[in-house]
Amino acid sequence: MSSIKKRMELLRERMKAEQIDYYLIPTADYHNSEYVSDYFKVREFLSGFTGSNGSLVISQKEAGLWTDGRYFIQAEKELEGSGIILFRMLEEGVPTIQEYLEKQMREGQTLGFDGRVVNSAYGKKLEQALKTKNIKFCYKKDLADSLWMDRPAIPAHPVMILPENICGQSVKEKLAQVRETMEQENCQAHIVSKLDDLMWLFNIRGGDVECNPVALSYGFFTMTECYLFLQKEAVSEELRKYAEEYGITLMDYNEIENFLQEFPYMDYQSRNTGNEQKIHILFDDKNVNYSLYRILQEKAELVNKENPTEKLKAKKNPVELAQMQEIYLKDSAAVTKFIYWLKKNIGKMEITEYSAAMYLDNLRKEMEGFLDLSFPTISGYKENAAMMHYEATAKDHKELKPEGMLLVDSGGQYVGGTTDVTRTIVLGEISQEVKEHFTAVAVGMLNLSNAHFLYGCTGRNLDILAREPLWNKGIDYKCGTGHGIGYILNVHEGPQNIRWRYSEDAKEAVLEEGMILSDEPGVYIEGSHGIRTENVIVVRKGEKNGDGQFMHFDTLTYVPIDLDAIDTAYMQPKDIERLNVYHKAVYEKISPLLEEEEREWLAEVTRPVS
Amino acid sequence: MSSIKKRMELLRERMKAEQIDYYLIPTADYHNSEYVSDYFKVREFLSGFTGSNGSLVISQKEAGLWTDGRYFIQAEKELEGSGIILFRMLEEGVPTIQEYLEKQMREGQTLGFDGRVVNSAYGKKLEQALKTKNIKFCYKKDLADSLWMDRPAIPAHPVMILPENICGQSVKEKLAQVRETMEQENCQAHIVSKLDDLMWLFNIRGGDVECNPVALSYGFFTMTECYLFLQKEAVSEELRKYAEEYGITLMDYNEIENFLQEFPYMDYQSRNTGNEQKIHILFDDKNVNYSLYRILQEKAELVNKENPTEKLKAKKNPVELAQMQEIYLKDSAAVTKFIYWLKKNIGKMEITEYSAAMYLDNLRKEMEGFLDLSFPTISGYKENAAMMHYEATAKDHKELKPEGMLLVDSGGQYVGGTTDVTRTIVLGEISQEVKEHFTAVAVGMLNLSNAHFLYGCTGRNLDILAREPLWNKGIDYKCGTGHGIGYILNVHEGPQNIRWRYSEDAKEAVLEEGMILSDEPGVYIEGSHGIRTENVIVVRKGEKNGDGQFMHFDTLTYVPIDLDAIDTAYMQPKDIERLNVYHKAVYEKISPLLEEEEREWLAEVTRPVS
């Protein structure tokens, strides 16, 4: 712990030298990515907290870390002894960072942050909140850089081109769709900074973020020109030719700020409309960083809208959907094989949380088209499973015994798609309470995946279907029920999701045909057990009649739900029927992909219950 | 129909004379009230459409009427032959009025409307939408006035003072709460135009709108002064004394515009803060009319927020809740007696939709503390029930026969509260399809009233609980599931409601303890049948634990749900149990209020089913 304290002390010295009173370190790269490469893990370096979401605020007298419900248990553990206060986001009475700064900062003080790792929406919000106190912003320096001696390099993996028959749509068509929106919004230019949007738009993939096949990049578009900013090291000769073919001008990633400073905006504007008004730039202020925003807002009129790519990408096209269906069957078979292996060998050989995860990871790695895991496999035994994003390591893990349950949340990146699945596996005796919780989770998961709803619904309308069986017992899980899932892209993708809470920041997206979502209710009892059952579902159109367009979900995931933890006493007949229907489909779809003895076992564990 | 065409022609002549190209007639009084007195029914006078919600737009070449799903069937019927086009709001491809005007109006044309019957939010929206076309606004004239010869007078009923032991809170306390919010919002003044908010705040009631015990009024507040604008005829000597006692300055209702023109804003501002900035006025732009807005926006800085009274009023205090519980039992007993009478006499005497409604209305009128109906009783037989807000009249009604079903939606205003209840009553043979629909409606209603949810949920999170049993069958009802209910006030009150659709205009209100809502799913099959089952529920706090504050509902309505239309084959065991639990409570609570033979019948119709 003393290394953390020392780092904080060094940072405080730097702050003094720069006359910065409060310094903010969110967890982000220059693109507001959810997961970031090690280079960007400044908050982890300084605080010791390893969760994927967290922001650190430091002053001379205090340091606080803000994180969300998924990480409360973990953060408490990791921050112990550091002197850093844990702020549990969304809990009653806990201030947001903005509220904290508003209260703590004194007239005329200076707030520092690296403007490249703060998105412009948040930067503007801070400006607004702190302007009555005349707070100065110092946003051009990354103070941590000079004190982080062995900081990893910025990654720059080669960029790969995906063939059109895998993407289902050409770059040309996609660019035309984007320009259509630019025209509708009366914008002459458009900047895209969101990495997965850029990958989708250009039919390329990278490897600059662990498990997320994205390349650090920016895109800048006019109605005729198209600039793609990539790191030099990422660009192959093949990519150069590809870019030329599609009229894409390749630029150096590190030149984005200079480019935006020097772009001839006025020329462009008058050339296009014949008047001297400022050029209009379509711009998503949630995803463009504050440093770029400060440049652009002087040069142009910014039209703040969600990137058109975001929704286009979310509605998977028929080629993408067919690929996803196929890859989910293969991925489900791998997970099913894993469960079989685990159940057969538990108590007979040494298996740990970590070695179990390795075994599953290897099953995926052997699959055709495997690129990467879609996130580090979560393998949590007994009470470890109560930490939603627990990660067992080679050094630090529990040994599995023939008792309790193992929660495994995992997925792969394949040429055919991105998978995500969670099963909680019974290894031996479990309590009646655990069975009750497990059954309620399964019922909730099936309630949602069997929903029928009118077009126009968003995840906020549907979330309660998964959550109600738990709310009826006075239990909640402190996270959304589902997230969007990318296609050979980020395992978390917007704009769609299944959540109940209203959030000013998170726009609600109507559930559109072809959107893919996870459906993953859970129970997390600190110090006791954690249960999550996650299927992935796709939005489909159903009947259209005088009452409107009805929608429903198809399921992509086919992995048995452990009947050893199901007690039908907690189910209604419709719940039992849904489980049996699901298990019948699991057997039909997965058994052809298994060995004989696995198949026999699968028949048994997907038997109808009553 | 020819009288409608003639009226439209006369209006078009007036429009020509005033150089108005498009004229908009919403349905509103000067306070954006949902229901309005006859004086304000200009749209009905001109179009012949009698529904409670609808807007007419007229140009020389076209006339269109916009209304919502509750009224599609009725509007189609009533507009027949008028030449007025029906625009079905929220249907796919149907433009909003704003979109229609944006498209139809030509550069430099003039849009006319009476600025007093258009709320300022909508007026501003129209300004925004039409500014690129340089549309002029003519908002100071009510064109219909001169051509409506026998227009009813503006009502001016005497204002009644409610005793504090009925209100549970004094005017002084309420004013202090309002001023607290003014202070938080840094506002030196506040205008309230919403009638039920004013009634609640001053512990008074009026009778200027049918079934809504409100008086036409305005309120204007500073931190020390309090002006209440009422029509002279409404003010008694007693009220004068009451006003004096509470420091309320009574003003003439018709003087509001002059008052706002001449109020010494700047004096007030500098007196209070010592600087020369404009005074800040707290102002709800949904409820203050456009004419007042145009005056105020020149004089002051308008801070657009929901009236603080709105939420204070919605969270019923313990006195109000106790009164409501008691009055709902008595009102439920009246409805139960009515059902008994109807079932006993159907086929034995002549009963019509209208006479049945009269019979029920009379049962209410005989009750102690009865003030008025809370809305005109809806009594719809067979296919008439498919029109959600059908009203049988003395002239135009169906005779009831011992077959099919009668839908009765009714309620009363009493000194102890405001009620609202719907039952659909089986009079004889009904089809299996009708039983299936009736059962799904009952299941949905009970699903919602039995919900458990975390604090923070709004109606948008819960709506699907009531709707899912119908959505599963590809059926929807084109209205919300529930509305807020006032206390001796409007039967529709905000901000709370149970709806699923996202609407930019309708803020979502978190369901707070003490809020009262209706729970009324339904099935409406045009030309065939209509079913609605409505209970009224109140939000209660439940368990608070580490996962948060859980909430649930208590039911206020205790009227049997017709078992003759229930088929338990369409129910899960939990649904059957909920119905039986409800019916047991109905018998226990209502039987003491009945005669012996009614009681015997009630025991039978509330028997447990399986």
Side-chain angles (χ1 to χ4, degrees):
Chain A
M1 263 309 138
S2 69
S3 72
I4 295 299
K5 283 197 170 166
K6 188 147 189 201
R7 287 168 192 171
M8 301 273 291
E9 273 328 295
L10 286 169
L11 182 68
R12 285 187 167 119
E13 277 169 29
R14 288 293 325 267
M15 286 168 61
K16 267 188 200 157
E18 300 283 348
Q19 295 180 298
I20 290 171
D21 302 289
Y22 282 76
Y23 194 71
L24 164 68
I25 306 168
T27 303
D29 57 11
Y30 304 155
H31 308 272
N32 197 28
S33 302
E34 186 186 1
Y35 296 98
V36 301
S37 75
D38 290 341
Y39 176 84
F40 296 103
K41 292 182 176 166
V42 182
R43 180 263 303 157
E44 179 176 331
F45 169 76
L46 282 166
S47 70
F49 169 59
T50 61
S52 70
N53 181 27
S55 294
L56 190 62
V57 175
I58 305 169
S59 67
Q60 294 302 328
K61 59 169 203 248
E62 202 170 81
L65 181 107
W66 277 254
T67 190
D68 66 65
R70 295 174 299 173
Y71 291 114
F72 290 166
I73 302 171
Q74 178 181 336
E76 220 170 84
K77 227 168 151 182
E78 294 181 340
L79 294 179
E80 218 180 305
S82 69
I84 300 171
I85 302 163
L86 174 60
F87 288 84
R88 295 156 189 264
M89 284 164 69
L90 291 183
E91 295 266 288
E92 219 181 304
V94 175
T96 62
I97 290 177
Q98 182 194 319
E99 288 163 351
Y100 174 84
L101 291 174
E102 263 181 278
K103 193 169 167 211
Q104 298 293 327
M105 290 189 80
R106 291 197 311 277
E107 181 79 21
Q109 283 194 321
T110 297
L111 173 68
F113 56 83
D114 178 354
R116 296 168 300 177
V117 298
V118 168
N119 68 66
S120 60
Y122 194 64
K124 283 193 278 179
K125 215 165 142 183
L126 289 176
E127 279 178 6
Q128 192 62 30
L130 301 174
K131 83 177 167 189
T132 54
K133 283 196 173 174
N134 285 314
I135 301 302
K136 289 184 285 290
F137 276 32
C138 173
Y139 68 93
K140 293 193 175 173
K141 279 180 189 146
D142 176 2
L143 290 198
D145 199 45
S146 65
L147 52 100
W148 190 355
M149 292 313 171
D150 52 351
R151 184 172 193 167
I154 290 199
H157 291 82
V159 166
M160 144 177 119
I161 303 162
L162 282 186
E164 233 170 88
N165 66 350
I166 293 287
C167 295
Q169 219 186 352
S170 72
V171 176
K172 204 176 145 190
E173 289 171 296
K174 291 179 177 181
L175 276 171
Q177 286 178 317
V178 168
R179 287 191 171 120
E180 212 174 278
T181 309
M182 288 167 64
E183 204 150 15
Q184 278 162 19
E185 300 291 348
N186 193 28
C187 285
Q188 293 78 41
H190 175 36
I191 183 166
V192 179
S193 174
K194 205 160 170 287
L195 301 183
D196 58 341
D197 282 19
L198 288 160
M199 298 301 107
W200 175 84
L201 182 56
F202 289 107
N203 288 345
I204 56 176
R205 296 295 186 269
D208 293 343
V209 181
E210 196 192 351
C211 301
N212 293 304
V214 295
L216 292 174
S217 52
Y218 296 98
F220 188 83
F221 308 88
T222 68
M223 296 311 284
T224 51
E225 294 144 302
C226 163
Y227 300 89
L228 172 60
F229 294 76
L230 288 168
Q231 293 182 97
K232 278 184 190 140
E233 302 84 335
V235 179
S236 64
E237 196 44 44
E238 192 197 353
L239 189 68
R240 254 177 231 296
K241 280 187 194 147
Y242 172 80
E244 208 167 303
E245 193 187 328
Y246 283 98
I248 302 162
T249 309
L250 288 181
M251 305 283 291
D252 182 354
Y253 178 75
N254 298 309
E255 285 302 306
I256 183 71
E257 295 197 15
N258 290 336
F259 175 89
L260 294 180
Q261 276 289 2
E262 284 156 28
F263 188 79
Y265 300 93
M266 299 306 264
D267 281 15
Y268 197 84
Q269 171 68 30
S270 53
R271 202 191 312 151
N272 280 268
T273 68
N275 67 37
E276 291 289 316
Q277 282 185 332
K278 272 189 175 177
I279 184 174
H280 287 218
I281 301 185
L282 187 62
F283 158 95
D284 181 350
D285 78 354
K286 299 261 195 319
N287 292 305
V288 175
N289 72 48
Y290 185 74
S291 296
L292 299 189
Y293 158 75
R294 288 290 292 256
I295 297 169
L296 287 173
Q297 56 106 14
E298 291 205 349
K299 308 285 187 180
E301 204 72 59
L302 299 179
V303 177
N304 178 22
K305 296 255 169 174
E306 194 178 70
N307 287 337
T309 31
E310 177 125 34
K311 203 187 253 177
L312 293 169
K313 172 174 69 53
K315 293 181 61 172
K316 287 5 178 211
N317 65 43
V319 171
E320 292 171 325
L321 284 175
Q323 292 275 337
M324 284 287 256
Q325 264 173 325
E326 205 186 312
I327 203 66
Y328 266 83
L329 290 186
K330 291 179 183 161
D331 190 79
S332 293
V335 178
T336 303
K337 281 168 179 282
F338 165 72
I339 297 173
Y340 170 73
W341 167 83
L342 183 61
K343 290 239 182 199
K344 198 175 89 174
N345 293 298
I346 188 68
K348 294 178 192 148
M349 59 188 271
E350 197 194 299
I351 309 178
T352 69
E353 293 172 327
Y354 185 72
S355 72
M358 289 300 106
Y359 188 90
L360 175 58
D361 293 353
N362 280 325
L363 284 173
R364 284 204 167 90
K365 283 173 190 163
E366 285 161 14
M367 282 170 60
E368 201 194 320
F370 174 86
L371 298 170
D372 198 351
L373 299 179
S374 62
F375 56 96
T377 297
I378 295 168
S379 171
Y381 183 46
K382 288 188 173 174
E383 70 272 22
N384 283 348
M387 291 181 266
M388 274 185 216
H389 286 231
Y390 169 78
E391 199 180 332
T393 62
K395 269 184 178 167
D396 191 9
H397 54 250
K398 254 185 187 292
E399 197 187 325
L400 308 184
K401 292 182 193 146
E403 59 189 42
M405 305 200 291
L406 178 70
L407 183 155
V408 181
D409 187 354
S410 66
Q413 298 284 3
Y414 306 92
V415 174
T418 303
T419 67
D420 185 3
V421 53
T422 311
R423 286 296 182 267
T424 309
I425 306 150
V426 179
L427 302 184
E429 200 173 300
I430 51 171
S431 70
Q432 193 56 31
E433 187 200 21
V434 166
K435 283 189 186 179
E436 188 181 347
H437 291 171
F438 187 97
T439 306
V441 167
V443 166
M445 193 279 284
L446 292 166
N447 274 353
L448 176 59
S449 63
N450 283 280
H452 291 80
F453 52 99
L454 269 181
Y455 177 79
C457 276
T458 74
R460 288 195 56 226
N461 297 121
L462 304 186
D463 183 275
I464 199 167
L465 296 178
R467 216 175 283 263
E468 189 68 358
L470 296 166
W471 278 0
N472 282 339
K473 300 182 193 301
I475 297 173
D476 185 43
Y477 45 97
K478 295 181 187 208
C479 60
T481 296
H483 54 82
I485 293 177
Y487 174 69
I488 326 178
L489 266 177
N490 300 358
V491 75
H492 288 181
E493 119 175 347
Q496 75 277 25
N497 61 51
I498 313 277
R499 291 186 194 144
W500 70 269
R501 266 185 210 276
Y502 172 75
S503 156
E504 237 181 86
D505 298 329
K507 259 205 211 155
E508 274 180 67
V510 166
L511 297 174
E512 306 271 357
E513 187 179 31
M515 283 180 167
I516 292 180
L517 294 134
S518 72
D519 169 9
E520 46 179 320
V523 168
Y524 307 92
I525 309 292
E526 190 174 342
S528 171
H529 59 279
I531 298 161
R532 179 160 67 249
T533 301
E534 174 190 27
N535 276 359
V536 170
I537 54 183
V538 52
V539 182
R540 297 288 194 186
K541 274 186 182 166
E543 181 188 356
K544 185 174 182 169
N545 60 30
D547 288 342
Q549 173 67 59
F550 282 88
M551 313 292 285
H552 62 270
F553 297 111
D554 278 355
T555 294
L556 295 179
T557 311
Y558 288 99
V559 178
I561 296 169
D562 203 328
L563 291 178
D564 294 343
I566 289 282
D567 186 337
T568 54
Y570 304 116
M571 300 169 89
Q572 295 290 310
K574 76 163 171 23
D575 304 325
I576 295 171
E577 196 197 331
R578 284 172 180 170
L579 180 63
N580 289 338
V581 166
Y582 177 69
H583 270 154
K584 186 163 180 278
V586 170
Y587 184 79
E588 283 168 6
K589 286 170 193 282
I590 300 304
S591 59
L593 305 176
L594 302 182
E595 304 296 325
E596 183 54 33
E597 62 177 326
E598 292 165 336
R599 192 156 38 236
E600 278 166 25
W601 167 83
L602 186 64
E604 168 63 16
V605 300
T606 57
R607 69 189 179 277
V609 292
S610 58
Chain B
M1 263 310 140
S2 69
S3 72
I4 296 299
K5 282 195 171 170
K6 191 149 186 199
R7 288 170 191 172
M8 301 273 290
E9 273 329 296
L10 286 170
L11 182 68
R12 284 186 168 122
E13 277 170 30
R14 289 291 326 267
M15 286 168 63
K16 266 188 199 157
E18 300 282 348
Q19 295 181 297
I20 290 171
D21 302 290
Y22 281 77
Y23 193 71
L24 164 68
I25 306 168
T27 303
D29 57 12
Y30 304 154
H31 308 271
N32 198 28
S33 302
E34 187 187 2
Y35 296 98
V36 301
S37 75
D38 290 342
Y39 176 84
F40 296 103
K41 293 183 176 167
V42 181
R43 181 262 302 156
E44 179 175 330
F45 169 75
L46 282 166
S47 70
F49 169 59
T50 61
S52 72
N53 180 28
S55 294
L56 189 63
V57 174
I58 305 170
S59 68
Q60 293 301 329
K61 60 170 204 252
E62 204 170 79
L65 181 108
W66 277 253
T67 190
D68 67 64
R70 295 174 299 172
Y71 291 114
F72 291 166
I73 302 171
Q74 178 181 337
E76 219 171 81
K77 229 170 150 180
E78 294 181 339
L79 294 178
E80 216 180 307
S82 70
I84 300 170
I85 303 163
L86 174 61
F87 288 83
R88 293 155 190 264
M89 284 163 69
L90 292 183
E91 296 267 287
E92 218 180 306
V94 175
T96 62
I97 290 176
Q98 183 194 318
E99 288 162 351
Y100 175 84
L101 292 173
E102 262 182 280
K103 194 169 168 212
Q104 298 293 327
M105 290 189 80
R106 292 195 312 275
E107 181 80 22
Q109 282 193 323
T110 297
L111 173 68
F113 55 83
D114 178 352
R116 295 169 299 176
V117 298
V118 167
N119 68 66
S120 60
Y122 195 64
K124 282 193 278 180
K125 215 166 144 182
L126 289 176
E127 279 177 7
Q128 192 63 29
L130 300 174
K131 82 177 169 191
T132 55
K133 283 195 173 174
N134 284 313
I135 301 302
K136 289 186 284 292
F137 276 32
C138 172
Y139 68 92
K140 293 194 174 172
K141 280 180 188 147
D142 177 3
L143 290 198
D145 198 45
S146 64
L147 52 97
W148 190 354
M149 294 312 173
D150 51 352
R151 183 172 193 166
I154 290 199
H157 289 83
V159 165
M160 145 178 118
I161 303 161
L162 283 187
E164 233 172 87
N165 67 347
I166 293 288
C167 295
Q169 219 186 354
S170 71
V171 175
K172 203 176 146 189
E173 289 171 296
K174 292 179 178 182
L175 276 171
Q177 287 178 315
V178 168
R179 287 192 171 119
E180 212 173 279
T181 309
M182 287 167 62
E183 202 149 18
Q184 278 162 18
E185 300 292 347
N186 193 27
C187 286
Q188 294 76 43
H190 175 35
I191 182 166
V192 178
S193 173
K194 206 158 169 288
L195 301 183
D196 58 342
D197 282 17
L198 289 160
M199 297 303 107
W200 175 85
L201 182 56
F202 289 106
N203 288 347
I204 55 176
R205 297 296 185 268
D208 293 343
V209 181
E210 196 192 350
C211 301
N212 293 303
V214 296
L216 292 175
S217 52
Y218 297 98
F220 188 82
F221 308 88
T222 68
M223 296 310 284
T224 50
E225 294 143 302
C226 164
Y227 301 89
L228 171 60
F229 294 76
L230 288 168
Q231 294 183 97
K232 278 186 189 139
E233 302 86 333
V235 179
S236 64
E237 197 44 44
E238 192 198 351
L239 189 68
R240 252 176 234 297
K241 279 187 195 147
Y242 173 78
E244 209 166 303
E245 192 187 329
Y246 282 97
I248 303 162
T249 309
L250 290 180
M251 304 283 291
D252 182 355
Y253 179 74
N254 297 311
E255 286 302 306
I256 183 72
E257 295 198 15
N258 290 336
F259 175 88
L260 294 180
Q261 275 291 0
E262 284 155 27
F263 187 80
Y265 300 94
M266 299 307 263
D267 281 13
Y268 197 84
Q269 170 68 28
S270 51
R271 202 192 312 151
N272 280 269
T273 68
N275 67 37
E276 291 290 315
Q277 281 186 330
K278 273 188 175 177
I279 183 174
H280 286 218
I281 301 186
L282 187 61
F283 158 95
D284 181 350
D285 78 354
K286 298 259 195 322
N287 292 306
V288 175
N289 72 50
Y290 184 74
S291 295
L292 299 188
Y293 158 75
R294 288 289 292 256
I295 297 169
L296 287 173
Q297 57 107 13
E298 292 205 349
K299 308 286 188 181
E301 205 71 60
L302 299 179
V303 177
N304 177 23
K305 296 257 168 169
E306 195 177 69
N307 289 336
T309 31
E310 178 126 31
K311 204 186 254 175
L312 293 170
K313 173 174 75 10
K315 293 182 61 172
K316 284 12 177 207
N317 65 44
V319 171
E320 293 171 323
L321 285 175
Q323 292 276 337
M324 284 288 256
Q325 265 174 324
E326 204 187 315
I327 204 65
Y328 266 83
L329 290 187
K330 291 180 186 164
D331 189 80
S332 293
V335 177
T336 304
K337 282 169 178 282
F338 165 72
I339 297 173
Y340 170 72
W341 168 82
L342 182 62
K343 290 239 181 198
K344 198 176 89 174
N345 292 298
I346 187 68
K348 293 180 194 146
M349 59 187 271
E350 199 193 297
I351 309 178
T352 69
E353 292 172 328
Y354 185 72
S355 71
M358 288 303 104
Y359 188 91
L360 175 57
D361 293 353
N362 280 326
L363 284 173
R364 284 205 168 89
K365 284 174 191 165
E366 285 162 13
M367 281 171 60
E368 203 194 317
F370 175 86
L371 298 170
D372 197 352
L373 299 179
S374 63
F375 56 96
T377 297
I378 295 168
S379 170
Y381 183 46
K382 288 187 172 173
E383 70 271 22
N384 283 348
M387 291 182 266
M388 273 185 218
H389 285 229
Y390 169 78
E391 198 180 334
T393 62
K395 268 183 179 170
D396 191 9
H397 55 250
K398 254 186 189 286
E399 196 187 323
L400 308 184
K401 291 181 193 144
E403 60 188 42
M405 303 200 292
L406 178 70
L407 184 157
V408 182
D409 187 352
S410 66
Q413 297 285 3
Y414 307 91
V415 173
T418 302
T419 67
D420 185 4
V421 52
T422 310
R423 286 296 182 267
T424 310
I425 306 151
V426 179
L427 302 185
E429 201 172 302
I430 50 170
S431 71
Q432 192 57 33
E433 187 200 21
V434 166
K435 284 188 184 177
E436 187 180 346
H437 291 170
F438 187 97
T439 306
V441 167
V443 167
M445 193 278 286
L446 292 166
N447 273 353
L448 176 59
S449 63
N450 282 281
H452 291 81
F453 53 98
L454 269 181
Y455 177 80
C457 277
T458 74
R460 289 195 56 227
N461 297 121
L462 303 187
D463 184 275
I464 199 166
L465 297 177
R467 217 175 282 263
E468 190 69 357
L470 296 166
W471 279 359
N472 283 339
K473 300 182 192 300
I475 297 173
D476 185 43
Y477 45 96
K478 296 182 186 206
C479 58
T481 296
H483 54 82
I485 292 177
Y487 174 69
I488 327 180
L489 265 178
N490 300 358
V491 73
H492 289 180
E493 119 175 347
Q496 76 276 26
N497 62 51
I498 314 276
R499 292 185 193 143
W500 69 270
R501 267 186 208 276
Y502 172 74
S503 157
E504 236 179 88
D505 298 329
K507 259 207 210 151
E508 276 181 66
V510 166
L511 296 174
E512 305 272 359
E513 187 179 30
M515 283 179 168
I516 293 182
L517 294 133
S518 71
D519 168 10
E520 45 178 321
V523 169
Y524 307 92
I525 308 292
E526 191 175 341
S528 172
H529 59 279
I531 298 159
R532 177 160 69 251
T533 301
E534 175 189 24
N535 275 0
V536 170
I537 54 184
V538 52
V539 182
R540 297 287 193 186
K541 274 188 181 164
E543 180 187 357
K544 185 174 182 170
N545 60 29
D547 288 344
Q549 172 67 58
F550 283 87
M551 313 292 284
H552 62 271
F553 298 110
D554 278 353
T555 294
L556 295 180
T557 312
Y558 287 98
V559 178
I561 296 168
D562 203 328
L563 292 177
D564 293 344
I566 289 282
D567 186 338
T568 54
Y570 304 116
M571 298 170 91
Q572 297 289 312
K574 76 163 170 22
D575 304 325
I576 294 171
E577 195 197 331
R578 284 172 179 170
L579 180 63
N580 289 338
V581 165
Y582 178 67
H583 270 154
K584 186 162 179 278
V586 170
Y587 184 79
E588 284 168 6
K589 287 170 192 284
I590 299 304
S591 60
L593 305 175
L594 302 181
E595 304 297 324
E596 183 54 32
E597 62 177 326
E598 291 165 336
R599 191 157 38 235
E600 279 167 24
W601 167 83
L602 185 64
E604 168 64 17
V605 300
T606 57
R607 68 188 179 275
V609 292
S610 58

